[in-house]
């Protein structure tokens, strides 16, 4: 799994206390302080990284903003807390050098990237029987995300086009954010697109924001969950009673026509500076996205049927180029 994505579930040691020496007096993130942004255009952070094969002169004018909500990185079995401490140095490092590096960096070519730290709910909250406790934990996490977004809008947006992007737990919060601030609201006119990935998004989730129909649609959203081709998903996936939106990131359509691996413009795996073209194909299948076993050196050790942590990584350059195309389409409109 580490070879596949180096993402939120990695067991790598992310201790780096020297870089993360900040303390909130209240335990609540202060978004006026850049330390509480995992990614921010006013400082260097891993979202500014570009894989070596994709490096070129960056645009002199970044036309849009990306508000990225990172996935769950709070997975420690030893920690019984429902929510992460905002000042946990090792956890912040883990977030920055997994999700922010391998996922948020996708969006940096023509956009400023903003990614707030937030008191994320522990991974176990998805499975505990005490649903009220879980709801409270996710509610606390969303409150931080919401305050970060409001601060961003007040201090930084200045009328710029916006992309909402997220993965996993971040997508749960992004869905709420879109409903509260964009869906049928004036701000929807500023929405380039929402890339809300890794969680099921029902067709009727929004009243006005529609699934993107093609690669150039704007004001819309894309979503998918990636599994090995032939696998129908976990029991909970198979038990879903709703129709989820599934976008094929190789064609940017929602039909079930298979897209060959030749359309995969490049995955970014454990070695960030290596881009592997043609690593996987993709096909919409019911409520999930199917991908054949990714082709890369060492894939013999890849035994899982669930490619969740690589939802973004294995389609890295396709997403990168699509963001650029949608920004151009939005600006033309």
């Amino acid at each position: 799994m580490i070879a596949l994505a180096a993402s939120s579930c990695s067991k790598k040691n992310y201790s780096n206390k020297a870089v993360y020496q900040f303390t909130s007096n209240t335990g609540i993130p202060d978004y006026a302080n850049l330390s509480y942004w995992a990614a921010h255009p006013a400082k260097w952070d891993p979202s500014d990284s570009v894989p070596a094969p994709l490096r070129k002169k960056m645009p002199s004018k970044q036309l849009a903003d990306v508000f990225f909500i990172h996935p769950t990185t709070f997975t420690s079995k030893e920690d019984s807390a429902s929510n992460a401490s905002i000042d946990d140095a090792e956890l912040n490092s883990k977030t920055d050098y997994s999700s922010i590096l391998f996922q948020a960096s996708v969006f940096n070519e023509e956009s400023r990237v903003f990614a707030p730290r937030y008191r994320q709910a522990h991974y176990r909250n998805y499975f505990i029987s005490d649903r009220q406790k879980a709801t409270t934990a996710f509610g606390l996490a969303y409150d931080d995300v919401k305050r970060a977004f409001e601060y961003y809008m007040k201090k930084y947006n200045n009328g710029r086009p916006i992309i909402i992007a997220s993965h996993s737990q971040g997508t749960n919060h992004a869905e709420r954010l879109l409903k509260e601030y964009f869906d049928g609201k004036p701000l929807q006119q500023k929405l380039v697109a929402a890339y809300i990935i890794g969680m099921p998004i029902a067709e009727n989730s929004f009243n006005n924001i529609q699934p993107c129909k093609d690669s150039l649609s704007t004001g819309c959203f894309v979503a998918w969950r990636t599994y090995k081709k032939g696998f129908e998903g976990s029991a909970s996936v198979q038990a879903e009673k709703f129709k989820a939106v599934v976008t094929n990131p190789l064609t940017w359509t929602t039909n079930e026509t298979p897209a060959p691996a030749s359309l995969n413009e490049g995955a970014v795996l454990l070695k960030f500076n290596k881009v592997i073209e043609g690593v996987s194909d993709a096909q919409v299948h019911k409520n999930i996205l199917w991908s054949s076993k990714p082709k890369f050196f060492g894939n013999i050790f890849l035994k899982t049927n669930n490619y969740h942590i690589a939802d973004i990584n294995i389609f890295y350059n396709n997403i990168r180029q699509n963001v650029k195309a949608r920004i151009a389409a939005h600006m033309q409109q």
Side-chain angles (χ1 to χ4, degrees):
M1 293 293 281
I2 295 176
L4 184 62
S7 186
S8 59
C9 296
S10 170
K11 294 182 180 179
K12 182 178 179 181
N13 180 11
Y14 289 98
S15 298
N16 195 340
K17 305 295 186 183
V19 179
Y20 297 90
Q21 294 178 342
F22 50 85
T23 302
S24 168
N25 293 328
T26 63
I28 300 172
D30 174 11
Y31 295 112
N33 184 338
L34 291 183
S35 295
Y36 294 99
W37 293 89
H40 195 289
K43 66 176 183 177
W44 183 91
D45 57 72
S47 77
D48 297 316
S49 303
V50 178
L54 303 181
R55 289 176 195 164
K56 58 185 177 181
K57 185 178 180 180
M58 297 294 283
S60 59
K61 188 174 182 180
Q62 293 176 309
L63 301 175
D65 287 348
V66 173
F67 190 83
F68 178 81
I69 311 171
H70 70 75
T72 308
T73 53
F74 187 32
T75 59
S76 171
K77 294 180 180 180
E78 290 73 34
D79 197 325
S80 61
S82 292
N83 292 82
S85 166
I86 200 65
D87 298 314
D88 185 324
E90 184 170 354
L91 183 60
N92 288 333
S93 181
K94 177 182 179 182
T95 299
D96 292 2
Y97 289 94
S98 60
S99 173
I100 302 304
L101 176 61
F102 285 89
Q103 296 180 327
S105 67
V106 170
F107 300 94
N108 67 17
E109 184 169 355
E110 291 192 352
S111 305
R112 304 187 304 176
V113 181
F114 295 81
R117 304 193 190 284
Y118 65 97
R119 290 170 291 177
Q120 57 181 289
H122 193 284
Y123 179 68
R124 72 172 66 89
N125 283 288
Y126 282 104
F127 309 105
I128 61 175
S129 58
D130 188 344
R131 298 318 301 161
Q132 183 56 53
K133 183 177 181 180
T135 298
T136 300
F138 287 116
L140 177 66
Y142 176 71
D143 286 345
D144 284 352
V145 171
K146 176 179 175 178
R147 285 190 301 101
F149 181 74
E150 290 178 345
Y151 189 87
Y152 155 76
M153 288 299 302
K154 181 179 179 180
K155 295 293 185 179
Y156 302 122
N157 177 259
N158 296 319
R160 291 164 59 89
I162 305 172
I163 294 169
I164 299 297
S166 58
H167 185 246
S168 199
Q169 179 177 162
T171 290
N172 292 141
H173 304 315
E175 183 178 3
R176 291 185 65 179
L177 197 74
L178 287 164
K179 289 177 180 178
E180 188 167 354
Y181 292 94
F182 291 85
D183 194 20
K185 313 285 197 311
L187 199 56
Q188 186 176 340
Q189 299 302 313
K190 293 292 183 181
L191 182 66
V192 176
Y195 293 78
I196 45 179
I197 300 165
M199 288 292 184
I201 305 296
E203 283 186 324
N204 60 353
S205 289
F206 307 106
N207 294 322
N208 296 278
I209 303 174
Q210 300 298 314
C212 296
K213 296 180 179 180
D214 54 36
S215 63
L216 296 179
S217 299
T218 62
C220 53
F221 72 95
V222 298
W224 65 83
R225 295 172 289 171
T226 316
Y227 292 86
K228 185 178 180 180
K229 189 173 184 178
F231 181 60
E232 297 290 340
S234 64
S236 61
V237 171
Q238 295 184 51
E240 290 171 355
K241 302 299 183 183
F242 58 88
K243 174 60 178 173
V245 173
V246 185
T247 309
N248 188 326
L250 300 185
T251 62
W252 301 106
T253 62
T254 56
N255 63 56
E256 295 193 355
T257 303
S262 60
L263 295 180
N264 191 313
E265 297 180 24
V268 174
L269 305 181
L270 180 62
K271 295 182 178 179
F272 181 80
N273 280 318
K274 185 175 182 179
V275 177
I276 309 173
E277 297 181 5
V279 72
S280 66
D281 55 16
Q283 179 183 358
V284 174
H285 176 74
K286 299 179 182 177
N287 273 8
I288 60 177
L289 183 72
W290 269 357
S291 169
S292 295
K293 186 175 182 178
K295 297 177 181 178
F296 60 92
F297 180 76
N299 74 343
I300 189 173
F301 299 107
L302 182 62
K303 304 299 183 181
T304 183
N305 291 319
N306 185 347
Y307 299 154
H308 175 71
I309 65 170
D311 280 323
I312 292 175
N313 304 67
I314 58 178
F315 307 111
Y316 190 98
N317 204 27
N318 291 79
I319 299 171
R320 188 173 180 84
Q321 297 307 313
N322 183 250
V323 170
K324 183 177 179 179
R326 289 193 201 274
I327 291 174
H330 179 87
M331 298 303 291
Q332 288 175 359
Q333 294 171 7

